[in-house]
Structures are given as structure tokens and as C-alpha cells.
Amino acid sequence: MGDWMTVTDSGLSSENKNISQYTSETKMSPSSLYSQQVLCSSIPLSKNVHSFFSAFCTEENIEQSIAYLDQELTTFGFPSLYEESKGKETKRELNIVAVLNCMNELLVLQRKNLLAQENVETQNLKLGSDMDHLQNCYAKLKEQLENSRREMIGLQERDRQLQCKNRNLHQLLKNEKDEVQKLQNIIASRATQYNHDMKRKEREYNKLKERLHQLVMNKKDKKIAMEVLNYVGRADGKRGSWRTGKTEARNEDEMYKILLNDYEYRQKQILMENAELKKVLQQMKKEMISLLSPQKQKPRERADDSTGTVISDVEEDAGELSRESMWDLSCETVREQLTNSIRKQWRILKSHVEKLDNQVSKVHLEGFSDEDMISRQDHEQETEKLELEIQHCKEMIKTQQQLLQQLATACDDDTTSLLRDCYLLEEKERLKEEWSLFKEQKKNFEKERRSFTEAAIRLGLERKAFEEERASWLKQQFLNMTTFDHQNSENVKLFSAFSGSSDRDNPTAHSRPRQKKPHSVSDGSPVCTSKLARSLPASPSTSDFCQTRSCVSEHSGSVSALNVTPEESRPSQAGRECADQKWSVASRPGSQEGCRSGCSLTYTNSHIEKDDLP
Amino acid sequence: MNFSEVFKLSSLLCKFSPDGKYLASCVQYRLVVRDANTLQVVQLYTCLDQIQHIEWSADSLFILCALYKRGLVQVWSLEQPEWHCKIDEGSAGLVASCWSPDGRHILNTTEFHLRITVWSLCTKSVSYIKYPKACQQGLAFTRDGRYLALAERRDCRDYVSIFVCSDWQLLRHFDTDTQDLAGIEWAPNGCVLAAWDSCLEYKVLLYSLDGRLLSTYCAYEWSLGIKSVAWSPSSQFLAVGSYDGKVRVLNHVTWKMITEFGHPATINNPKIVVYKEAEKSPPLELGRLAFLPPRAVAGPLSSPESKYEIAEVPVSLQTLKPAADRANPRIGVGALAFSPDNYFLATRNDNIPNAVWVWDVQKLRLFTVLEQLSAVRAFQWDPRQPRLAVCTGGSKVYLWSPAGCVSVQVPGEGDFQVLSLCWHLSGDSLALLGKDHFCLCFLETEEGVGTASGQRGDHT
């Protein structure tokens, strides 16, 4: 109903007259309401109103028709046509007001319907015309499509033809080229043939000539002669000279003289030309400098360092060049300087001219200065706007990032778990490998530790033995009180260091021998070697110098190897005491290997810790 | 401008003496020597037969007259009229005869180019040079007269021999890398010898005086090659005209081409002045003609006067369609001449026979074109200034200078056809040679030139 109302509302006021008409009609005969309704709903039936009317209600069936109408109307939601019965027995009275109301309502509804119908019809018409239009359009477009398709086909055809033509032309060109090649070959062959023939002919001709020559010249022709009244003197007044070797030489000389003169002349000319050109260059340079020097201030003020430096360079150059009288310099030395400086200046000049050009263009632009100002304001506004926008955008980005983070945390559960599983599997694999590796290492370490502890025990025994030996030896020495030098004691200390007995001995042991040993070796004292031999059972007993030296160097190497880490010995002792500190024990061979093993150690260490976690 | 009366002449044999004092001309078997200024007959010699060639000795003391048909050369002395000399080549025949630069030797070329005989007028000695090559220009003396270059042909190879003229000693002998040497020419400074191949191949070879090959130049292949060659008086340029209608100018430093002058049939460049000869329809339109022949000398004119007009720029010149199937086709640059001051080069392209092209050598571009009504027969530069005299076989002589261009009617009875011309040493007079007559044309001195240039104003 609401829809209907909206559609018909607009038409309501305009149809007021009609309403009044209908209402007057209704006033005339209340029974016509129905017929009117029917009429309106079915226009073609309007002619048969009377027959219909007579068919529906007659004098006899008023009651029934009213009842029927009431029933009908109530079913359509109108109020009942009868008055509310006050008593059960009383017959229900026809309520005129209700009837009228109903009628009015029906009429209004009718109006609405009519309007709606009209609208629908116009709409229908409109749509129909639209449809027509669209169909026309469609037809037209179809036609166009057809046309363009046809055109395209035509063009394709033309393209094909052109391509064909092109191909043909290419072919023709190729043929022509071949033809040209052929003709050239023919020309060449003809030329060779011609040359050959010519040669042949010429030979014949020469033969004939020779023959003729013999015939003509050898006959001692009397006729070939010169009759002169008297011989005249030479133009230069000299007598003819005999041909001798001298004249030949003289001729040669003269020839070379002539050639030389010519070359000298040319050289002079070239020199002159060069000088002229140099002069011109120099002048140009000077002028350039003078022209550029006022400009020179500006760029410096503008801190335009590049041009400024160039100019100063140029000035220096110019000073140098003008100081030396440049014409006298040979080409190679001057040329480069001159050309370089000229080039530089030319560059400056060019840039300057360009600058000027720019200025000129700016001046040109100043014609639009007012607009320019306005535009600048606009520009500022624009920039402000843009800045604002940028801020907005930044905020947006921030919020988006936040949102994204939230999203990431939110959607973690299912997708990332999968991924994590993947990672975990991979990691597990790796860890397993590492674990096995580590186990192996651990086993190795254990083995080594055992061996080391054994070695330590052995060392301890040895030390004890040595200690005893030393004590006895010291005692002996003390007893002997001989004049032993300091060196000896040093050596003793060294050997004690070898045995690795005491911690406090070590630093001195491995610092001093390194300084002293070479010294002792350079001394080459037999004392030393003998002592070595005596004190070290393992050392070679031979007193060969080289051997001892190598031995010493070996020792020094081993010493240094042993003493790289003074704390090495400490763990060894500690390892015996506390087996819990296995890592520190294990680090000992590692440190011997180098820092890489050390690294690996820490690596494995961490892995072990990790491994413990799950 | 004045014209002398007309004298008889045969075989275009008319020559100024090298010192400029005399003018020798031949009439049949007579040799007439006149004073170059007064045209008075100074001497008259009678030869045995029709004279076919005359030549002054370099010192202007002797004249040789060659009578090729008889194989004879007769020499006359100007100082001693009674002195005579006759050289008989006998059965060997004679095809060419010339003086050596010292003026005391005569070089005779026998028939079939069997040999060159060098006759001395000072001694009885006779020298022979064998195997001279029969070619266009096979004999060349240096300007200073010291050396003779001679093209030779032996065993199907070309050679060049350089002789010292003072005693005819062979100085250098070298073979040239040519198919068929066509000509040799010394540079004016006498240090470089240009040799070029026959027209079948484009090849220029440059040799130093001592026989070293300085350079070879070849512009193109497979086409007719060089037609004419000219050295600039400064020895700086060598202009080579070829059958493709182009002049290529080589320089003396690198011996490479520095420019190429084409001879297009249409001239589009508005900077180039094209002087077009036009017949002057109603007579006596004084204003348009710069140099008018003086009325006093001018006789009845048989041919209409002509004048030069400056043609509007896109000018198409009359071209000749050469007969392609004939030998020596009329195409290509057949004549070249540098002006004595090196500033200009005049050329004629044979398939545009009516035009003389004048090129600016300093700017290396075309300067002017003169288009005549009929084919250009000959042109020659004034030995003193950049002034070009042109003749077309008509009764007019044409003069061009950078200032302008004039056409001058040669006065005289009948039709005096100028077939050739030669300048006097001083550039003051010009001998105009016709078939049977010759006359001298005396050019104005300073004041005349002044008026001429004044009049030229309405030309340009």
C-alpha cells in the first residue's frame, strides 16, 4: 500500500476534479460504487454497465447484496457496513456512514489505481520507446560493427597485398643486385680480356715499330739532317759541357737542392701559418680572459666553486703563458697548454652564454610576473595542502600497520601453526643430526680426557721423579758450589717448564727462552749444547750445529705451542679433580686446534642446552 | 675597348712572343711577325710549305715553324733575318715539334712515336730519345726549364723519364702504375709531377722530382675517368676534371681531395649569380650593356647584339644528351683553368656546353655561372688579373671578372667567328682568332675600367 501511495500521490491533486465527479456520482446512487470500481478496473466493460448493474443487484436481493458486499469488504479489510449490533436478536442495521466511508475509500483507491495505471502506462510507453531506441542503436552498432569488420578485412587484404608487393620488390631488388654483380663480373672479365688483347696488339705494334725503326733509321738516311747557316751561341753564353760523372753528380745535387728549397719554402710557410694561428689563438684567449674576468666575481660570490676554480686555473695558465714568450716554444709544449686553456675558457664562455640565455628567458618570463606571484601563493597553499595530505597518509599507514599487526596476531593460529610445524620438523631433523654429531664429539672428548688424565698422571709421576732428581741435583750442585753461570740456571728453568711442572715457572719460561735462545745459539757455545744433551734425554746428543739449531727452533716452537694459553695447564689439573667440569676439560684440545674448534665447542654447548629443553 | 683591324690567318696559328713584344701569325706558308703594340710587320718569313705549327723560343729570339706533311722544321731568327735553319726528319716523318726551354734545342717527335730527336742549334749534336709514348700530353717541361719529363712505353708498361735539359742527361727513370698513361704535368714549382691514366680508369699519381711516388688518388672505378687536369699556379691544388661531370681538387699537403665541384644542370643556390646571355632585341638599349663597343670602330653588324642578364635563381642550364654509343662522348669536365692569382677556377662541363662555371677556390664553392647562347669554344684567364675571356665561335667575345660580365661584339666586315683567343702577357690586349682572320682587342686601361665598373651598377 505504501508503494501505491507514493506512486499516486503526485497525481492526486491534479485528479481532484475527477474525484469530485466520482463523489457526485456516488451521491447519486450508492450502488454505483461497485459498478464504478468495476468500470475502472475493466474499461472495456463500461458499455455493459447497465446490464451488469441489473444483473448484480435488484430490489429483491438488496439484503443479500449488502451482505455480500459487507463480506467482501471485510475480507478486504474495510470496516463492516453494518452497525455494531447492540443485541443479539436485533437485526444488524446498515451503517450508512460506514458505507459512505468505504465507498470513499474505495473511490480513493480507485483513483490511486487509475493514476498508477496511467503512470505505468506512460512508463510502459517510455520503456517501449527506450526499447525501440535501444534496438535502433543496437542495429546501428551492429551495422557499424559489420562495417568495421568489412573494413578490417579490406585492410588486411590490402596489407597482405602490400606485403606481397614488398616481397616481390625484395625479390626484384635481389635480382637487380644479382644482375649488377653479374654485370660487374662481366665488366671485369671484359676489362681483363681487353687488357690482354691490348697487350697482344701492343706487342705486335712494338714489333712493327722496331722493324720500322730499323728500316728507317739504319738506312743512313741522307735526308735526316739539319741545315744551319751558322750555329748560335747558347742562351746563357756558356759552352756546352761534356757529359761526365761530375755532371751527373752535379745534376743530382741540383735536383736535391731544388727539392730541398721547395721543402724549406713549404716549411717556412707552414711555420708562418702556425705563428699566425698561434697569434690568433693567443689573442682570442686574451679577449676571452678579459671578457670573462668581470663574470668571474659573480660565480665566486655565488660560491659556484667549479667555474671559479677553472677560471683561476686559467688565469694562472695565462700568466705562465704570457710570461714565456710562447711563440718561441716548440709546438708540442705550447700546443697542449694553449689548446687546454682555450678549451677551458671556451667551456666557461659557453656556460656563461648559456647562463645569459637563461637570464634572457627569465626576463622573458617576467612579462608574466603577476601571474607568477599568484601562482607562487597558490603554490604555497598547494604545498601546505599536500603536507597535510601527507600527514593524513602517514596516519593512515600507521593505523593500517597496527591493523595488520592485529590481523597477523589474530590469524596466527591455524596458518602459522602449520608453518611452524614445518619449521619444527626441519629443525628437529637438523637438531638430530647435530645431536648425533655432538655425541660423537662428546665421545671423542671423553676419550681424550681419559688419555689426558693418564698423561697427567704420568706427568705427575714424571714430575715427582724430576723433582726428586732436581732436588738431588741441586743438592749436589749446592754441595759442589761450582762457578756455574746464569745461563745454566736459565736452562734448568726451561727444562722444568718443559716438564710443565709449575704454573709460576711458565710465563718466565716461555718469555725468556724466546729472547735468549737465539742468543745462545748465535754464541754457538758448546757449553749450551752439551747442557742440552745432558739435561734433555730426548734431545739429540750430537753436537752438530745445524742440528742443535733446528732442535732449538723446534723446541721454541713446541714451547710456544705449549704456552700459548697459560691456563691450559690449569684445566688439566682441574680436570683431574672435578669431572663435572667436562666442558672446560674438553676445551683444552679444542684450544690447541685453534679458535675454530673453540667456536664449535660453544656451538655444541648451546645445542646441548637446547637439546635438553624438549 | 678597341679593336685592331682584321688580319689574315690560317690554321689558328697566332702567338705572342714570350716577352710580349711581338706577335707571330701564319698565312699559309708565310710567317708574319708584327709588333704587338703597333701591329707593324717586323719580319716576314717564307717557308717551304703550309705551316702547321709555330712556336716561339723562350727567349723570343727564334720561331720554329713545323711543316708536318713534309717532315720539316724551319727555324727563323728575329735578330738575324738572314739566318735560317732547316731540319729534315726524312722518311721517319714528323708529328710534333717543340722548343726546349733554353731555346737552343728542338725536340722532334717522329711518326709512330718511334723516337724523339733533340736537335741543337748550338752544336751539331743530335740526341735521340727512344720509346716516347703516344699520348695526350707525354712531354712536360718544368716551369724553370730545368727538367723534362717524358712518358715512355716499353714492354707494355708505362715509364716516366726525367731529363736534365741542360745536357739531356737522364736523371730519373721509373715506371708508373698505370694501365695506359694519358698525360703528365709538372706542378708550377717543378717539384711534383702529376701523371694520370687514360679515361678508362680514374687514377692520378703524384711523383716527386726524384721519382718517389708521393700519392695515388682514385675517385671511383668502373667508369670513364679523368678528362682534364690543371695545377693551380701556386702548386697548391691539383684540379682533376672527370667524365662524371665533377672536378675534384687535391691539396698539396696530403694529396687528398679537399673538395668536389659538381656541375648540376640546375642551380638553386640564391647566392650564385648566373649570367645568362640574351639577345638584345631592339638595338641600342644602352643602359643594360656594360661595355659597349665604341661606335667609332663598330661597323655594320651581322649578328644581333647580346647582353648578359642575371637569371632568377632556380636556373636550369641547357644540357646535351651525349651519344652513349660513340667514342669520346661529350660529357664530363673537358676544360679547367685556374686564374693566375689562384682565386678562381673556370671549368666547362661538356654536356652543358653553353656554360662556363667559375668557382671560388678560397671558399671552395661555386661563384658564378655564365650561360652563353652557343657552345663555349675556349676560355682563358688574363695573366695579370682575375679576368676570364670566353669565346663561343660567334662574333662576340665575353669577358668576366668578379665585378661583372660583358659581351662584346667584334667589329668587322662579314662574320668574324672567334674560335680561339690568347691573352697578351700584360693582359692589355687579347688576340681573337677566327678561321681565316684574327684581330687584336685592346682592353681599356684604368679609366676605362672605372667607367665600366660604374656602369656595372645597374646590372646588379
Side-chain angles (χ1 to χ4, degrees), chain B residues 267-290:
Chain B
I267 289 148
N268 298 315
N269 192 341
K271 279 185 186 169
I272 293 158
V273 182
V274 180
Y275 292 104
K276 199 165 186 161
E277 190 192 3
E279 275 187 9
K280 205 174 175 185
S281 34
L284 303 174
E285 206 191 317
L286 282 161
R288 304 296 296 167
L289 205 67

Side-chain angles (χ1 to χ4, degrees), chain A residues 568-584:
Chain A
E568 269 168 25
S569 48
R570 247 180 277 147
S572 71
Q573 289 172 329
R576 232 187 300 162
E577 289 158 15
C578 47
D580 297 10
Q581 288 181 334
K582 49 185 171 182
W583 301 128
S584 54

Side-chain angles (χ1 to χ4, degrees), chain A residues 263-274:
Chain A
Y263 282 122
E264 269 174 13
Y265 171 71
R266 270 163 74 170
Q267 201 207 350
K268 236 177 242 169
Q269 272 192 326
I270 286 167
L271 273 177
M272 264 161 63
E273 217 175 289
N274 263 339

Side-chain angles (χ1 to χ4, degrees), chain B residues 288-354:
Chain B
R288 304 296 296 167
L289 205 67
F291 293 106
L292 271 177
R295 292 290 104 193
V297 194
L301 306 176
S302 56
S303 62
E305 285 186 36
S306 72
K307 59 174 180 175
Y308 276 114
E309 283 172 351
I310 292 172
E312 284 301 313
V313 161
V315 184
S316 56
L317 305 168
Q318 269 191 346
T319 55
L320 202 76
K321 188 112 178 82
D325 53 347
R326 299 265 187 85
N328 301 317
R330 282 173 66 89
I331 49 166
V333 179
L336 288 171
F338 277 97
S339 70
D341 58 1
N342 292 307
Y343 285 171
F344 297 102
L345 170 69
T347 61
R348 185 192 65 208
N349 189 8
D350 289 348
N351 50 342
I352 310 176
N354 294 3

